[in-house]
Amino acid sequence: EPEVTQTPSHQVTQMGQEVILRCVPISNHLYFYWYRQILGQKVEFLVSFYNNEISEKSEIFDDQFSVERPDGSNFTLKIRSTKLEDSAMYFCASSGGIFYNEQFFGPGTRLTVL
Amino acid sequence: GDSVTQMEGPVTLSEEAFLTINCTYTATGYPSLFWYVQYPGEGLQLLLKATKADDKGSNKGFEATYRKETTSFHLEKGSVQVSDSAVYFCALSLDTGNQFYFGTGTSLTVIP
């Protein structure tokens, strides 16, 4: 069964450093998303991406964040200068195909900012 | 705005007990409704969904009915198992490609 994959599973970084979180969505999907979940809190939407551009973004997704689909398979989230409060689990999701309104989530990347 | 309100946890039940996790929503349009489950150390997995009023989603013994009149999508299971221990998230989406709005999650622990 096709699935969304994410790497790395855990990333530890120093405050102020740049991080890139990587995702490989399901191959025939057209919509891609990033969400985050701060420990013990709800899953929050960051950004959606369609047709090589951002289609929707939340207030959380400020200038420190960017997304890119550098090739036909990867979808990345970059945080330019990490803050302590960026520590969270980051989930990638994709949708499309026959289950058009269902989002398939990856296992997540746990980001720890020290 | 669009949002989901979910029953606070944690919930602890004995094996074979009946489970209800309440979920109500507020939406500007006609949303699709979902329940996702997160097992320890894992990502979000779709448990069931319903795309229009009066639809019933079901999977692995879990059920939820889309009630437009009460704006609810409560999750139920007649007899829980230890393996059902997880965090359950109610979510809504207004359209394909739109963001999901998640509830706060309800942690369920089932004891033998």
Side-chain angles (χ1 to χ4, degrees), chain B residues 9-79:
Chain B
V11 174
T12 302
L13 294 174
S14 297
E15 206 164 22
E16 299 184 3
F18 184 85
L19 169 71
T20 300
I21 301 177
N22 290 338
C23 171
T24 57
Y25 67 89
T26 303
T28 51
Y30 301 97
S32 295
L33 301 173
F34 305 82
W35 277 100
Y36 278 80
V37 58
Q38 185 179 32
Y39 297 103
E42 297 185 18
L44 299 166
Q45 299 175 27
L46 179 69
L47 181 60
L48 53 84
K49 67 179 182 182
T51 58
K52 61 183 188 298
D54 300 325
D55 269 2
K56 178 188 282 189
S58 61
N59 186 24
K60 300 181 182 178
F62 290 89
E63 292 183 342
T65 301
Y66 188 141
R67 301 278 188 209
K68 188 179 175 186
E69 63 275 13
T70 53
T71 61
S72 65
F73 192 55
H74 305 320
L75 182 68
E76 297 182 336
K77 186 175 185 182
S79 175

Side-chain angles (χ1 to χ4, degrees), chain A residues 33 35 56 100-103, chain B residues 34 36 46 96 98-100:
Chain A
Y33 313 84
Y35 293 81
E56 191 178 8
Y100 62 94
N101 66 345
E102 176 183 330
Q103 292 186 15
Chain B
F34 305 82
Y36 278 80
L46 179 69
T96 304
N98 287 143
Q99 64 170 291
F100 272 32

